[in-house]
Amino acid sequence: MSVTDKTDVHREFDGRRLPPGQRETSKFPVLSKGSTPEWDPEAWQFSVTGAVENERTLSWEEFRDLPNETQKQDFHCVTGWSKFDCAFTGVTFPTLAELAGVDGDAVHVMFSALDGYTTNLPLDDCLRDDVLFVWNYDGDPLPREHGGPLRVVTPHKYAYKGAKWVDGIEFLTEPERGYWEKRGYSNTANPWNEERYS
């Protein structure tokens, strides 16, 4: 299995691998806004909507059939811990964007999840090949408590920008804020600038 190393993303932000105020851990703590939602693989659908040429709805099987890759990434939680060298397998955001055909007036993206969670990012922050929709972690199916069957990982942001149990993305022509962003968390979430709260 080929693995692409993305652990040097910190250089893009002129920072050290371990962002300020973070501590490295070998564990993978579980943090969620609520309980783990139910998931039915036969009924699950992933939607791509909004400012696109072709709105799409994908079944679990169809999603898994998309081109995918494995990347080694670092994972930074806003609560102060970082886990290095996570092997995540999934579909890149640009792959989904190309599938739908993004309109020229799209500027922002809203991610939605099975538990009602939402989070937002500017489109430019999403159109990176290290923003992944992942279903495998370190060679095994992504555990339910960590967002399985599918979550987003955003190694250039704090992890709350990567929705657990993600089931859709909407391309927006105006910025909107997601669940934690409306509740005082940073809208930009840059770990190397310690952008934790508004």
Side-chain angles (χ1 to χ4, degrees):
M1 176 182 65
S2 175
V3 180
T4 304
D5 192 338
K6 296 289 187 177
T7 59
D8 63 350
V9 66
H10 60 94
R11 294 175 182 165
E12 180 181 340
F13 299 94
D14 298 322
R16 296 182 178 181
R17 187 174 180 185
L18 186 68
Q22 298 291 106
R23 66 189 183 283
E24 185 183 356
T25 180
S26 60
K27 299 177 181 179
F28 201 168
V30 176
L31 290 95
S32 307
K33 82 172 182 67
S35 59
T36 301
E38 296 295 321
W39 175 64
D40 179 355
E42 298 300 321
W44 183 90
Q45 292 184 322
F46 185 93
S47 63
V48 183
T49 61
V52 294
E53 295 171 10
N54 304 296
E55 292 196 343
R56 299 294 298 265
T57 300
L58 302 170
S59 68
W60 180 233
E61 183 177 357
E62 289 170 331
F63 197 97
R64 291 288 302 268
D65 282 344
L66 293 173
N68 61 82
E69 59 187 75
T70 300
Q71 298 182 5
K72 185 165 65 173
Q73 297 188 358
D74 296 338
F75 188 97
H76 307 296
C77 182
V78 70
T79 60
W81 56 267
S82 294
K83 182 170 174 58
F84 289 169
D85 298 322
C86 302
F88 291 122
T89 300
V91 176
T92 69
F93 190 100
T95 296
L96 286 173
E98 183 178 356
L99 184 69
V102 182
D103 289 347
D105 56 353
V107 296
H108 220 72
V109 177
M110 185 68 73
F111 299 82
S112 61
L114 291 173
D115 64 341
Y117 183 74
T118 57
T119 190
N120 62 287
L121 278 172
L123 179 58
D124 287 346
D125 268 317
C126 295
L127 291 174
R128 302 168 54 102
D129 62 6
D130 56 2
V131 175
L132 281 180
F133 295 81
V134 305
W135 58 73
N136 264 36
Y137 163 64
D138 284 355
D140 294 315
L142 183 66
R144 298 280 291 120
E145 66 272 18
H146 285 302
L150 192 71
R151 78 163 297 159
V152 183
V153 289
T154 54
H156 62 308
K157 299 291 183 182
Y158 286 122
Y160 66 89
K161 288 293 187 178
K164 291 182 171 184
W165 311 297
V166 65
D167 65 354
I169 51 176
E170 181 183 5
F171 289 85
L172 305 170
T173 57
E174 296 288 341
E176 295 181 19
R177 296 194 177 218
Y179 180 87
W180 284 122
E181 294 83 3
K182 291 177 180 177
R183 290 162 172 80
Y185 279 66
S186 171
N187 200 36
T188 47
N190 181 332
W192 292 277
N193 290 341
E194 287 201 271
E195 296 168 0
R196 301 177 193 270
Y197 310 105
S198 297

